[in-house]
Amino acid sequence: SKLANEYATALRAYRERTDETPYPMRGVAFCVNIGECDEFLKEAAAAGLRARIVTGREAKGKHGQAVINAAQEQLISGEIDLIITVAKLGEGWNFPPANAAIWARAAMSEAVDRKSVV
């Protein structure tokens, strides 16, 4: 819940300073598994964030890309504040409007730490 609250606080502060930046804050939270995504969604809602989960569960089959596209559009339009995912939107996902990330997972591996910076 601390991560969700910190992001909500940062988002509010960012929105208060919209005259200083031309870019809205658009975030993605990366969780360790789908169960953690579900828990983080609850924590995000409790923190006042509007969020949507996009994992293999939601974006599977022939309509998977449509689910991803809809979430991206919701984030761009401001309908949601955050996309929550596992690895569905990780490697190979190119979404330049996302400019904030929450690494909501333990990262004891040096390889994971480096990947998160790239």
Side-chain angles (χ1 to χ4, degrees):
S1 64
K2 184 177 180 181
L3 286 173
N5 284 317
E6 291 289 332
Y7 185 80
T9 299
L11 183 60
R12 282 191 296 276
Y14 193 88
R15 287 180 174 160
E16 289 173 3
R17 301 174 69 166
T18 56
D19 58 326
E20 297 176 28
T21 179
Y23 304 105
M25 190 166 159
R26 297 183 178 119
V28 180
F30 293 93
C31 299
V32 70
N33 58 41
I34 293 173
E36 290 296 319
C37 287
D38 293 335
E39 288 302 314
F40 195 79
L41 179 64
K42 291 176 192 172
E43 293 170 0
L49 295 168
R50 300 161 300 157
R52 179 171 179 177
I53 295 174
V54 178
T55 67
R57 177 184 64 196
E58 293 79 17
K60 65 180 175 184
K62 64 180 181 180
H63 299 293
Q65 190 59 48
V67 171
I68 294 169
N69 292 344
Q72 291 176 161
E73 288 301 318
Q74 287 178 314
L75 191 61
I76 290 170
S77 72
E79 186 178 333
I80 61 174
D81 303 309
L82 188 64
I83 292 174
I84 302 170
T85 191
V86 181
K88 184 69 177 177
L89 301 179
E91 198 170 317
W93 182 50
N94 185 18
F95 185 58
N99 57 7
I102 300 172
W103 195 248
R105 55 192 302 166
M108 299 304 290
S109 165
E110 189 175 331
V112 172
D113 286 341
R114 283 192 199 134
K115 181 179 175 186
S116 67
V117 174
V118 173

